[in-house]
Amino acid sequence: MHGFDDWALTLAVFIPLVGAAVMLLVPRAEEELCKGIALVTSVATLGIGIAILFDYDYDKRGLQYTLDKKWIDVIHSRYQVGIDGISLPLLILSMVIVVLVVVYSWNHFPEPHNPKAFLILILILEVGMNGTFVAQDLILFFVFFEVVLLPMYFMIGVWGGEQRQYAAIKFFLFTLFGSALMILGFLALYFKGGESFSIPYLIAHAEAAMPHNVALLIFGGLFMGFAIKVPMFPFHTWLPDAHTQAPTQGSVILAAILLKLGTYGFIRIAIPILPQAAHSWAPWIGGLAVVGIIYGALGCLAQTDMKRLIAFSSVAHMGFVMLGISTLTPLGINAAVFGMVAHGFITGMLFFVAGSLKDRYHTLDMKRLGGLLLQSPHMGWILGFCCMASLGLPGLAGFWGEFPAILAAYNPAKGLSAPLFRSYMVIASIGTVFAAGYLLWMLQRVAFGTPKEEWEHHHIDFGMHWPEWASWLPLLAAIVAFGLLPGLLFHVTDPAIHAVVATIGK
Amino acid sequence: VFHQPFVDYHAFAPEIVLTGVLVTLLLVDLVFEERARRATSTIAGLGLLGALIPVFTLAWNGHDRALFGGAYVVDNFSLVLKALFLVAGYVTVLISTDYIGEGDYYEGEYYFLLLSSILGMTVMASARDLISIFIALETLSIPAYLLAGWRKRDLKGNEASLKYYLLGVFATGVMLYGMSLIFGVTHSTVLTEIHGALAAKGSTSVPIVTVGILFVIIGFAFKVSAVPFHAWAPDTYEGAPTPITAFLSVASKAAGFVALMTLVFISFDGRSDVWQPLFWVLSAVTMTVGNLIALRQTNVVRMLAYSSVAQAGYMLAPFAVATHAGRSDAIEAMVTYLVIYAAMNLGAFAVVMAVARKTRSAEKSSYGGLFEYAPGLAVLLAVFFFALAGIPPLGGWYAKLVIFRIFLDKPTGWGVALGVILAVNSVVGLFYYASIAREAFMRPVPDDGDRAPIRIPAALGSALALCAVATLVVGVVPQVVARFAHLAPFGS
């Protein structure tokens, strides 16, 4: 298996690119062929992922499947990839979501149609996402981190809703601003941290080599890059627009994976490379996180559009993830990674349902919706199930992201103010009550009651199509499975997270 | 007693080949007249590629050659830039072929002047003496004044040429005055000797030297269209034939940068207290003003003109922070930027020309719905414009990265501040670069509703392909450019 060990991650990143290149050669009219190529490509990529899952050594702490080749000699940047227990779940999540999105797309191509271009963009997105999760070199990470921008810009801007052009450029400008400061931070790390872009090397050497105030500044640059992507309050304003205007598939990918690039950046780069600076920043990060939780929840309660409500709920949920990270404890970061994966499943699912509702009603204005359970019991119950999962009902995946994060705030890392984090804990707990409030409120308005009169004379097909079943069932199963057996995931993440936290204690 | 100077013909081979091609072009046009119309562009293109051969043999041969007492030097720096000028010139010929052939223009003369200008540039890459720099500058500028007004029945064309000429001559005057002051103080025109003489002067003659340096730099600031000396650029760019606009914004600008690099880093090396603050301000103002005005443009060519002003601001930035020790890195960064910028910007202009073949317009609104009737061209447009914005994995990101690198190697407060200004500016830049893509991908076809596909002639198509491949390859494997730029910095 030596060859596979070396090249598995490279294949996982670039198979989608090959698929996209092949699709370029297919005429636009051959829609079935395009869909076929996209499906085969994404399934093949997932195949690599599954092979890695079987082959991965779950007891080892360090990086696996590493490959280190020359890339840009002149600036000492290398093609260095590898995964550990933090990257693995997110990498698999990204592969799974892409397959499901391609399946869902089968009969759900938004206007102006053009499946060829749409699927090519999805595959290029996958290159960027998978690449970000495996990159172990800062420049390589930066490139993959940015590769997702263009396809998402076009996906929102071409296939999106009424305000799509505004939403697309807003998304683009916000993230680009963050990454411009982030790259300054990366370069400063290079010069101050020992002339290397290698993440493992920098983890071992960087912070010792520089004064604390420089580390604080660099962390600030990285913070801007990642916090905008997450997005944390007050940098979240691009998110509701982007989510609301994006086509269903775009929203799903955005919520399920792109937001994780930011939180992943914190756990992979910012915290382990600059643990002392992270320690100094942690109270602020935790503060912004709980503000985000409450603000996101209040934002939800003010929405009339279902998709916009789900978008704001993402702000709140990512607040829990960031709170977990800011405690700098193994429990908190484990919860954060779990929260990332769970949010990927659950919010992805919510956006799928919202998209399918929009296909049928052509509106998501909650004033006009109602009685979904009568019109389409299947969809109504699935929506109800997702709401329960999202509000953190024990037994479903959402619980294991929120509850341990709150718990971890009771006892933050050594040196962090316990009273402060305990207040955060209290506020976050109130946030969970809000979460139950807005999700149940949404469920009530969309699914309960009787359908509004205006729909009486519309002949809407409420039957679920096979692509919907095929793309939703795996997600629903995952929500239950990880809810009942959280150890499945904690077992993978825990060793790697202990390695991260160990850097803080140094 | 006059000693005939030793002439190393190998060192001069690229220029000799170019001169030969120039003469051939004139003769062919003279002898065959109309029958040769189509042949001239082929001769010019092949000639430029032919001139690349001695550049390669010189590079293969390896050692640096200094002629005429150090006034003319062939080293890696000059070879890398000569190759850039020749390739950029070749792409210009490719995009000119059909534009010039289809219009009612003279052809033989057009290529004659274009190649003369390129000849001036190749000389500029080797010139290490005030007089040879001046001659190179005039050789590359005077044909460019004429080319800018090539559409002589068009009023805008006349305006383009006249403005470019008047401001160009004025700048040359200022620069010459600066050079004369420097010469007066140092009694030499050779750059390395000027460096020595200035060092020996120490703290005497400070005002004259300062004025001299300022004037020389300002003279070239016109050439690279740095704010506030950029006023000619938008009108000239709009009125000139589009291939010439592309040529001016890439090759002519690069020639200005070459002269600045040799002058500043060889002659004025010891006086960084004079030029560093000047370049800091020039760079910050140029990128900011260029970007802000570009935001408001509705004509794509004018937008690209201001974009090229902003890009000049990025390229000037290394001057503002480069110390003596960081000189090599600064040169490397600027050469990298020049090469990548050439590929992106020539590509962007090639797309503009291809679209204009159908729409006969460079207004932004005429790009509506391009993705529907010409998807391939629309994708290329996205590639070049987002590359200019610096979005990975398209080439431009690496160019910006190497500039950022300069700021953070031994960072100073001023350096980091300029870095942050540059970072903010690249976000502003994205907005207008993306606005063209928005028009092409997200807006409907304009009312007259012509959805006929665009036919792209072979020459223009190959230029597009060349630039696209270069932009993508550099974005994914920057090492291909970085390696050459790494060799470029001159010794001493």
Side-chain angles (χ1 to χ4, degrees):
Chain A
M1 288 294 273
H2 187 70
F4 181 74
D5 271 14
D6 277 355
W7 293 102
L9 296 181
T10 305
L11 286 174
V13 174
F14 291 107
I15 287 179
L17 190 63
V18 174
V22 172
M23 231 191 288
L24 270 181
L25 306 175
V26 176
R28 193 160 153 181
E30 301 273 351
E31 296 185 1
E32 294 304 314
L33 186 57
C34 284
K35 291 185 212 169
I37 295 173
L39 186 65
V40 168
T41 314
S42 55
V43 169
T45 316
L46 180 61
I48 302 278
I50 290 171
I52 292 177
L53 271 183
F54 278 109
D55 189 46
Y56 186 84
D57 180 354
Y58 292 93
D59 298 322
K60 238 174 89 175
R61 268 189 156 195
L63 293 172
Q64 302 185 33
Y65 297 95
T66 50
L67 181 68
D68 191 1
K69 295 269 174 202
K70 276 188 184 180
W71 185 38
I72 319 176
D73 272 354
V74 171
I75 58 167
H76 306 130
S77 171
R78 301 179 62 82
Y79 178 77
Q80 193 181 3
V81 295
I83 50 171
D84 62 5
I86 301 171
S87 343
L88 179 64
L90 294 167
L91 179 65
I92 303 293
L93 174 72
S94 148
M95 292 166 164
V96 170
I97 293 288
V98 170
V99 172
L100 300 183
V101 163
V102 170
V103 171
Y104 180 84
S105 298
W106 221 259
N107 61 354
H108 285 103
F109 285 103
E111 283 304 312
H113 207 59
N114 200 348
K116 177 183 167 185
F118 193 75
L119 292 168
I120 288 179
L121 290 185
I122 291 181
L123 291 180
I124 297 178
L125 267 172
E126 187 175 15
V127 176
M129 301 184 301
N130 292 358
T132 312
F133 291 133
V134 304
Q136 295 294 338
D137 176 283
L138 289 181
I139 297 297
L140 192 64
F141 177 92
F142 169 76
V143 170
F144 282 129
F145 192 81
E146 301 286 280
V147 163
V148 300
L149 292 183
L150 274 180
M152 190 45 87
Y153 168 74
F154 283 113
M155 196 178 272
I156 299 174
V158 177
W159 284 271
E162 291 287 305
Q163 301 287 319
R164 58 183 188 274
Q165 296 175 12
Y166 169 75
I169 193 69
K170 193 172 176 184
F171 157 78
F172 208 158
L173 289 175
F174 264 75
T175 14
L176 192 73
F177 180 71
S179 40
L181 295 179
M182 181 179 85
I183 191 69
L184 284 176
F186 283 177
L187 286 166
L189 270 183
Y190 171 84
F191 286 114
K192 296 287 172 184
E195 310 259 309
S196 170
F197 285 117
S198 157
I199 295 175
Y201 177 88
L202 288 170
I203 290 176
H205 300 99
E207 196 162 48
M210 67 179 88
H212 188 56
N213 56 352
V214 173
L216 280 180
L217 260 179
I218 297 179
F219 194 93
L222 305 185
F223 174 82
M224 285 301 288
F226 298 139
I228 289 177
K229 197 86 170 183
V230 170
M232 291 185 76
F233 178 89
F235 310 113
H236 65 281
T237 55
W238 63 268
L239 182 84
D241 288 313
H243 264 322
T244 316
Q245 299 305 326
T248 306
Q249 292 89 332
S251 299
V252 171
I253 293 179
L254 197 58
I257 311 175
L258 291 203
L259 306 189
K260 276 70 193 182
L261 300 185
T263 39
Y264 175 76
F266 276 108
I267 304 179
R268 165 67 58 228
I269 293 172
I271 291 176
I273 294 183
L274 300 169
Q276 301 308 323
H279 198 274
S280 307
W281 273 76
W284 301 98
I285 298 178
L288 288 178
V290 290
V291 173
I293 294 174
I294 299 298
Y295 183 89
L298 293 178
C300 284
L301 290 171
Q303 301 310 316
T304 55
D305 183 286
M306 184 177 163
K307 230 176 157 187
R308 218 173 153 84
L309 189 152
I310 303 171
F312 268 100
S313 84
S314 280
V315 176
H317 281 115
M318 295 316 274
F320 283 105
V321 173
M322 288 312 298
L323 178 64
I325 292 174
S326 73
T327 63
L328 303 178
T329 56
L331 180 62
I333 299 180
N334 267 314
V337 177
F338 205 107
M340 284 150 76
V341 175
H343 178 262
F345 290 143
I346 297 168
T347 309
M349 219 21 249
L350 279 171
F351 275 119
F352 268 141
V353 175
S356 284
L357 289 183
K358 179 138 193 187
D359 277 351
R360 289 165 173 93
Y361 291 114
H362 299 287
T363 178
L364 285 175
D365 186 351
M366 288 187 289
K367 287 197 208 92
R368 296 170 60 194
L369 302 180
L372 181 64
L373 278 168
L374 292 177
Q375 285 167 315
S376 171
H378 286 307
M379 240 183 269
W381 284 117
I382 290 175
L383 178 64
F385 176 83
C386 298
C387 286
M388 294 304 150
S390 185
L391 63 81
L393 195 73
L396 298 176
F399 176 74
W400 298 105
E402 278 181 21
F403 177 67
I406 295 174
L407 203 61
Y410 183 77
N411 212 356
K414 210 172 64 184
L416 293 176
S417 154
L420 181 66
F421 272 85
R422 283 174 197 170
S423 345
Y424 290 165
M425 180 185 82
V426 174
I427 301 173
S429 315
I430 297 172
T432 60
V433 180
F434 278 132
Y438 62 73
L439 285 161
L440 293 175
W441 182 61
M442 175 180 87
L443 183 64
Q444 197 182 354
R445 300 223 284 176
V446 175
F448 296 170
T450 49
K452 297 279 188 299
E453 276 175 21
E454 62 171 305
W455 305 110
E456 264 174 27
H457 304 292
H458 290 262
H459 294 285
I460 301 175
D461 169 23
F462 278 101
M464 299 243 307
H465 312 183
W466 71 263
E468 287 169 347
W469 282 119
S471 53
W472 294 359
L473 280 179
L475 284 179
L476 298 171
I479 295 172
V480 176
F482 284 105
L484 294 176
L485 300 168
L488 282 178
L489 188 52
F490 283 134
H491 178 61
V492 180
T493 57
D494 197 50
I497 285 167
H498 269 97
V500 168
V501 175
T503 62
I504 302 168
K506 262 193 325 197
Chain B
V1 188
F2 178 74
H3 293 285
Q4 189 184 350
F6 167 72
V7 179
D8 179 349
Y9 287 101
H10 192 188
F12 270 125
E15 285 78 10
I16 293 173
V17 172
L18 272 184
T19 315
V21 177
L22 281 176
V23 176
T24 316
L25 273 174
L26 268 191
L27 287 178
V28 164
D29 197 46
L30 190 69
V31 175
F32 298 102
E33 291 179 343
E34 277 304 295
R35 280 168 294 160
R37 261 181 83 97
R38 300 298 302 184
T40 44
S41 80
T42 316
I43 296 173
L46 290 179
L48 285 167
L49 292 183
L52 265 178
I53 296 171
V55 172
F56 286 130
T57 58
L58 283 166
W60 186 260
N61 183 268
H63 63 87
D64 293 354
R65 297 151 190 265
L67 286 73
F68 310 122
Y72 195 91
V73 173
V74 177
D75 53 9
N76 285 333
F77 173 80
S78 68
L79 289 175
V80 169
L81 285 156
K82 277 178 205 209
L84 169 66
F85 291 134
L86 292 171
V87 173
Y90 179 67
V91 174
T92 312
V93 170
L94 285 181
I95 59 179
S96 301
T97 305
D98 293 275
Y99 186 94
I100 297 296
E102 286 164 11
D104 189 16
Y105 307 121
Y106 300 105
E107 279 196 64
E109 291 84 346
Y110 176 89
Y111 294 108
F112 173 78
L113 289 172
L114 185 66
L115 264 68
S116 310
S117 187
I118 295 168
L119 175 64
M121 292 170 186
T122 57
V123 173
M124 181 69 96
S126 287
R128 303 291 154 84
D129 171 282
L130 292 183
I131 293 174
S132 34
I133 287 179
F134 175 70
I135 289 175
L137 180 70
E138 292 301 284
T139 317
L140 76 90
S141 296
I142 292 170
Y145 300 144
L146 292 168
L147 288 169
W150 207 246
R151 298 189 301 177
K152 64 179 180 186
R153 287 180 194 85
D154 180 20
L155 277 179
K156 281 198 168 172
N158 295 341
E159 183 190 355
S161 183
L162 193 64
K163 274 196 176 157
Y164 188 31
Y165 171 69
L166 287 178
L167 286 172
V169 172
F170 177 63
T172 312
V174 172
M175 186 194 72
L176 269 185
Y177 185 46
M179 285 182 171
S180 70
L181 291 177
I182 302 275
F183 174 73
V185 174
T186 61
H187 306 293
S188 173
T189 57
V190 180
L191 298 191
T192 45
E193 289 174 15
I194 292 176
H195 175 246
L198 284 179
K201 284 280 170 201
S203 57
T204 56
S205 307
V206 169
I208 293 188
V209 172
T210 305
V211 171
I213 291 177
L214 286 183
F215 277 15
V216 169
I217 290 176
I218 286 173
F220 284 104
F222 272 97
K223 204 75 213 160
V224 302
S225 64
V227 176
F229 313 109
H230 68 291
W232 60 273
D235 292 329
T236 303
Y237 282 14
E238 194 187 355
T242 323
I244 293 306
T245 309
F247 179 71
L248 290 180
S249 73
V250 170
S252 174
K253 190 183 290 266
F257 272 101
V258 169
L260 277 178
M261 280 188 263
T262 48
L263 280 165
V264 166
F265 288 129
I266 297 177
S267 289
F268 310 149
D269 193 34
R271 294 298 173 103
S272 56
D273 52 328
V274 175
W275 48 262
Q276 277 200 344
L278 175 68
F279 278 119
W280 199 98
V281 175
L282 272 183
S283 165
V285 173
T286 302
M287 62 176 95
T288 310
V289 171
N291 271 329
L292 289 181
I293 304 183
L295 282 177
R296 298 186 52 83
Q297 302 306 314
T298 56
N299 180 300
V300 177
V301 173
R302 281 187 85 83
M303 196 209 79
L304 279 172
Y306 282 107
S307 124
S308 90
V309 171
Q311 302 271 352
Y314 304 153
M315 285 183 256
L316 282 170
F319 282 123
V321 289
T323 54
H324 178 76
R327 197 173 72 165
S328 305
D329 284 341
I331 295 172
E332 192 182 327
M334 284 189 268
V335 171
T336 308
Y337 206 115
L338 284 172
V339 172
I340 298 177
Y341 170 74
M344 308 186 289
N345 216 38
L346 286 172
F349 274 107
V351 170
V352 170
M353 289 179 58
V355 174
R357 289 179 67 81
K358 168 170 175 290
T359 61
R360 297 281 147 216
S361 159
E363 286 303 312
K364 237 189 222 177
S365 52
S366 68
Y367 282 68
L370 187 67
F371 184 57
E372 283 170 39
Y373 60 84
L377 203 54
V379 169
L380 285 176
L381 178 144
V383 165
F384 294 125
F385 281 79
F386 284 112
L388 283 167
I391 309 296
L394 309 166
W397 73 271
Y398 185 71
K400 287 233 174 68
L401 181 86
V402 289
I403 302 282
F404 278 136
R405 238 172 83 90
I406 304 292
F407 299 129
L408 292 161
D409 191 4
K410 323 238 172 5
T412 58
W414 288 102
V416 174
L418 193 56
V420 172
I421 294 175
L422 206 164
V424 173
N425 263 298
S426 45
V427 180
V428 176
L430 171 72
F431 190 81
Y432 61 82
Y433 291 125
S435 74
I436 306 288
R438 184 182 65 194
E439 206 65 55
F441 285 84
M442 303 170 196
R443 296 265 163 93
V445 183
D447 288 337
D448 48 350
D450 180 5
R451 287 157 183 272
I454 296 177
R455 198 190 62 83
I456 300 175
L460 187 55
S462 7
L464 279 169
L466 262 179
C467 295
V469 168
T471 306
L472 284 169
V473 168
V474 169
V476 179
V477 202
Q479 180 70 8
V480 289
V481 167
R483 235 182 84 213
F484 292 109
H486 191 58
L487 294 173
F490 27 75
S492 82

